[in-house]
Amino acid sequence: MTSLVRGRPATVKDVARHAGVSASTVSNVLHGRSSVADEIRARVEAAITEVGYVPSAAGRLLRSGTSEVIQLALPDIRSPYYSALAHTVIQRARELGMTVVIEETDGAVEQEQRVASSHPHRGVGGTLICPMSLTSDDLAELRPELPTVLLGEHTRGDAFDQVFIDSRAAARDVATHLVATGRRRFAFVGTEHGKGTGPGALRLEGVRDVLRAEGLDLPDSAVLGTPDFGRETGVAVGERLPAGESGYDAVVCATDELAVGVLHALAGRGVEVPREIAVTGWDDAPESRFVTPSLTTVAHDLDDLAAAALGFVTARRADPARRPGRHVSPHRLVVRDSTQTG
Amino acid sequence: MTSLVRGRPATVKDVARHAGVSASTVSNVLHGRSSVADEIRARVEAAITEVGYVPSAAGRLLRSGTSEVIQLALPDIRSPYYSALAHTVIQRARELGMTVVIEETDGAVEQEQRVASSHPHRGVGGTLICPMSLTSDDLAELRPELPTVLLGEHTRGDAFDQVFIDSRAAARDVATHLVATGRRRFAFVGTEHGKGTGPGALRLEGVRDVLRAEGLDLPDSAVLGTPDFGRETGVAVGERLPAGESGYDAVVCATDELAVGVLHALAGRGVEVPREIAVTGWDDAPESRFVTPSLTTVAHDLDDLAAAALGFVTARRADPARRPGRHVSPHRLVVRDSTQTG
DNA sequence: GTGAAAGCGCTAACAA
DNA sequence: TTGTTAGCGCTTTCAC
């Protein structure tokens, strides 16, 4: 229960009165600012708990122009990767005394622009954004008025703090593993044709890197563009995917959800995974351990990612003129049954 | 891009100056209050876009004590059901000009209490909470200072606006379907022994209702308590579940995630679903359509649920003395391959 | 129908 | 080291 002073939320003034000091001293105590005498500090702290004081976000925001609310913009919270990311960001934010509002962009430029250009007046103190459509050019003409961190795999100019995942390197790990386990006839699922900013692009490049080095081919016909990255789309692909002797023997999917769909469709057709064809996904969605066969995938270090992102927000708040930073978050290949013969 | 007045966010005063009126007139226009002359209104509206005015959340909050930020408290955003719920709430909230903060409680009493007793000073205008551990008694001694809506299946006193799902009725639908398709030897997975507030309790009761009416038995040994409701736990259960001739021929799981785990373990053991045993889940997680065999489950109408919940917040803000309301959201049995023989 | 003025809670600058 | 003062942006009386 929060105590109240005369049925009204307690304010710094109430605390000040109870402690027999001034409001600014209370403020100083609250922020550990300047040197407050130990005895006074103790008295103020006692008064704070006594009157049940909770700082008013409004007062603070109005006065100092910044808040402990940060917005996390992502395409769709229902996607396992993004909900896992949100979870980690929320946990980490709480440790830092921050609070997280979720903004869903559906990967649409206008939405991403709307979020990226949020005004401090909206009451938000920082932005974490996972851009899908925003290009470096879009971002260049945006002068964000909030500490803004870009999360993703693509480099997008150098005007922003960015947290990266090196998807191309991860893709090389995936392809190398597949080649090492005897796969030769590759397909790739999940590039939107002609779109360089989506999650597919770099992942495809990494696969190409390895195949080229191995003298293997990845013809255009083996690169299967998809309108989105969901399970349903994976099913559609899996239903027509040539597999076995005369078809592919490995299919790299740009997301776990695509892969889950592909697995489901292959099972429906009686195609045996991994014997006839290996399937891989991306992002290590929790469900991927529990589909049958369990899915080989790329895992990210979300704790590292969230900590880095929030660290950038904090650093930029402290020093808005700071040079934009970059952080590359580690990844790791998780080998499971969908690629493991025998 | 937001326009600025002299490099500083535009305020009502700026708008007022541009329109040649006073700040209060601007405020009146913004809120459609009192009668403002058409010509003046037009001038103000023009000025608003001209200076790129964005209302300051801080100013509003400070003055009027309420905000358009509502908090959604749930155990874990990574769970498919809760991320789907969050998605729908976020969408609906945006339509209403509101913004959503996610609070994760992990189903722990202290966390739930913390959220439920949030102060208006925190800058939040309302609370939507999915309580797991909070009892009617806990809630009774909480006098929330914010419009607070309870989301869930259990009745928890009558002091709060509540949005329900009739899980007991849904469970009857599930059991009826299983009996109608020839199942006789039931198991139930997912009750925490001795905990009446978890998701398992009512679902179990509904199953019992039907079995009793059918003259079938559900011995205590067939009610499998679980420490949580995740896939991992489902696997542990599925690994030892007696199935086939001498075992169960139907297993009702309290969540899709448990069911997915059970399916995975049964597949590993070579137990055929649905031929030897039928499996059902709860909540219609997106992945449940794509596991093999696809999962029979209970679907909720999240749009209805979110709209009702936010409607309660709005209504209570308008009239804090309002009698607490109740809304029952519909559910629907979704039959898929995991229970469908032939 | 419109404007002037006060004050919500807080903190930064300055004075003591 | 502590207190005084002013003002952040908004809305709401209350005059006019």
Side-chain angles (χ1 to χ4, degrees), chain A residues 5-250:
Chain A
V5 176
R6 297 196 336 213
R8 163 185 61 72
T11 74
V12 271
K13 277 187 187 164
D14 297 316
V15 176
R17 195 170 325 119
H18 271 249
V21 298
S22 80
S24 24
T25 300
V26 174
S27 178
N28 283 334
V29 169
L30 286 168
H31 293 82
R33 252 191 265 290
S34 78
S35 32
V36 181
D38 282 353
E39 192 238 347
I40 299 248
R41 175 182 307 278
R43 245 164 53 211
V44 169
E45 276 160 358
I48 286 175
T49 58
E50 195 187 339
V51 303
Y53 170 73
V54 178
S56 150
R60 277 202 178 156
L61 178 54
L62 187 57
R63 178 68 229 214
S64 51
T66 188
S67 91
E68 301 304 314
V69 178
I70 68 133
Q71 54 182 351
L72 172 61
L74 37 77
D76 190 326
I77 189 72
R78 290 172 298 182
S79 161
Y81 173 69
Y82 290 114
S83 63
L85 175 63
H87 169 81
T88 315
V89 169
I90 290 168
Q91 299 297 321
R92 180 86 189 147
R94 181 153 71 213
E95 292 170 21
L96 299 170
M98 296 169 157
T99 249
V100 180
V101 330
I102 304 289
E103 295 281 347
E104 293 188 313
T105 61
D106 203 24
V109 217
E110 320 82 49
Q111 304 254 53
E112 294 183 352
Q113 270 165 336
R114 179 180 61 81
V115 174
S117 53
S118 294
H119 219 235
H121 268 188
R122 265 203 50 211
V124 163
T127 303
L128 267 38
I129 181 168
C130 307
M132 301 299 287
S133 318
L134 236 38
T135 63
S136 302
D137 291 348
D138 294 330
L139 287 166
E141 49 187 62
L142 226 61
R143 303 280 243 84
E145 309 177 45
L146 252 37
T148 301
V149 181
L150 268 31
L151 309 180
E153 49 190 3
H154 291 277
T155 308
R156 285 183 161 92
D158 50 7
F160 290 83
D161 293 310
Q162 294 184 63
V163 178
F164 288 100
I165 287 159
D166 190 346
S167 276
R168 187 162 183 167
R172 286 195 290 263
D173 295 348
V174 171
T176 302
H177 160 69
L178 289 168
V179 169
T181 50
R183 309 294 170 168
R184 292 296 176 268
R185 305 183 307 281
F186 280 66
F188 182 92
V189 179
T191 290
E192 294 165 282
H193 280 304
K195 283 200 62 179
T197 59
L202 284 173
R203 303 176 184 187
L204 173 57
E205 283 318 302
V207 172
R208 280 196 203 283
D209 291 345
V210 171
L211 296 189
R212 201 177 301 120
E214 295 284 337
L216 294 170
D217 200 28
L218 190 72
D220 281 355
S221 61
V223 178
L224 309 173
T226 57
D228 61 57
F229 298 88
R231 302 176 186 88
E232 189 91 53
T233 300
V235 169
V237 170
E239 278 169 349
R240 345 193 104 66
L241 194 75
E245 294 301 315
S246 59
Y248 303 112
D249 66 1

Side-chain angles (χ1 to χ4, degrees), chain B residues 172 175-176 179 205-217:
Chain B
R172 286 195 290 262
T176 302
V179 169
E205 282 319 302
V207 172
R208 279 196 203 283
D209 291 345
V210 171
L211 296 189
R212 201 177 301 122
E214 295 284 337
L216 294 169
D217 200 27

Side-chain angles (χ1 to χ4, degrees), chain B residues 155-179:
Chain B
T155 308
R156 284 181 163 92
D158 51 8
F160 290 83
D161 293 309
Q162 294 184 63
V163 178
F164 286 98
I165 287 159
D166 190 345
S167 276
R168 186 161 184 169
R172 286 195 290 262
D173 294 349
V174 171
T176 302
H177 161 69
L178 289 167
V179 169

